[in-house]
Amino acid sequence: MVSSGEAHIGICSSIEGASDELITLPCHKLERCIICAPHHPLLRKTRISLADVARYPLVLQTATYSGGWQIKRAFEVRGIKLNIVSSIADPEVAKACVEQGIGITVLPTRVFDPKRDRGIRAIHASHLFEPMKSYVVLHQNYYLRGYTSDFIEMFAPKWPRGAIQEAMRTAAAPTSTGAR
C-alpha cells in the first residue's frame, strides 16, 4: 500500500521483497516468549530447549504474520518436528487458545501483560528464537509531514525528523554508477 501511494506510512515486521522505492527504518527488536497455562510443566524448567517446546501442541501464529515462519524455521533447522494444532494471525486469539488449553504459543514479549493476561504465563525464549524486527516504511517520494515524523518518533524515538529526512535523502541519492 505504501508502494502504490494508498498509505503514507507502514509498520511491518518483514521487509523481504520490499521495492527499491521504499525506505525502511529499523525500529525495534522484539524478543519472544513461550505462552503457556499457569501450571504448565515448562514453567518448572530452569532453561527450556526447542525439544522441550516441541513436546506440546503449538498454536502458531500464521507464517506471514509476526514472524511465524521464523518460529517454524528454528525447529526445522534442528530437525525437530512440531505438533501445530492451529495457525492464528492475531496474538490475542493465540493467547485465548492457550487459556482454553488448546496448546502453547510463541509470541513477541510485548504482547504479554501480566496484569491483563492473568490466565496465562510467559517464559522468556530469546535464547531459542531470533528477535523479530519492526520497521517503519515510507515511500522515497513521500513529503514528510510533521505529524508523520511525530508519529514515527513516538513509535521509535531513535528516528527524529532530521534522521528520517537524512534516511530519505540517502535512499533517493543516485549511486556513483548512476544506478540505484
Side-chain angles (χ1 to χ4, degrees):
M1 291 176 72
V2 174
S3 289
S4 69
E6 293 176 66
H8 298 289
I9 184 173
I11 297 177
C12 62
S13 60
S14 176
I15 56 170
E16 292 181 30
S19 66
D20 291 340
E21 71 237 3
L22 296 180
I23 297 159
T24 56
L25 308 174
C27 296
H28 302 283
K29 285 186 179 181
L30 305 172
E31 300 293 333
R32 298 176 195 269
C33 62
I34 308 293
I35 304 292
C36 59
H39 302 291
H40 197 280
L42 286 176
L43 291 167
R44 291 190 287 267
K45 293 192 147 292
T46 54
R47 186 170 170 95
I48 61 172
S49 68
L50 288 175
D52 293 328
V53 174
R55 289 187 185 108
Y56 302 97
L58 183 66
V59 176
L60 186 66
Q61 281 202 274
T62 308
T64 55
Y65 292 95
S66 301
W69 61 273
Q70 289 176 320
I71 303 301
K72 286 177 74 171
R73 186 179 64 192
F75 290 95
E76 289 169 357
V77 165
R78 290 164 185 83
I80 300 172
K81 186 170 172 51
L82 288 173
N83 176 16
I84 299 172
V85 293
S86 186
S87 184
I88 308 273
D90 187 304
E92 295 302 317
V93 174
K95 291 189 299 185
C97 288
V98 171
E99 278 189 288
Q100 294 300 311
I102 295 171
I104 62 174
T105 192
V106 180
L107 296 173
T109 55
R110 287 187 176 194
V111 302
F112 178 76
D113 179 355
K115 291 178 184 171
R116 185 188 66 219
D117 297 321
R118 293 183 180 167
I120 55 178
R121 300 293 180 269
I123 303 168
H124 194 67
S126 64
H127 65 288
L128 299 176
F129 307 104
E130 291 180 34
M132 187 173 73
K133 297 174 185 167
S134 68
Y135 301 86
V136 167
V137 181
L138 299 166
H139 196 284
Q140 69 183 17
N141 295 330
Y142 175 68
Y143 173 75
L144 184 63
R145 292 171 175 81
Y147 61 83
T148 305
S149 65
D150 290 347
F151 173 79
I152 293 169
E153 189 172 1
M154 283 190 314
F155 178 71
K158 74 178 191 177
W159 288 107
R161 184 176 183 86
I164 299 166
Q165 289 172 320
E166 180 59 28
M168 293 176 84
R169 269 193 299 276
T170 303
T175 63
S176 60
T177 61
R180 289 188 5 210

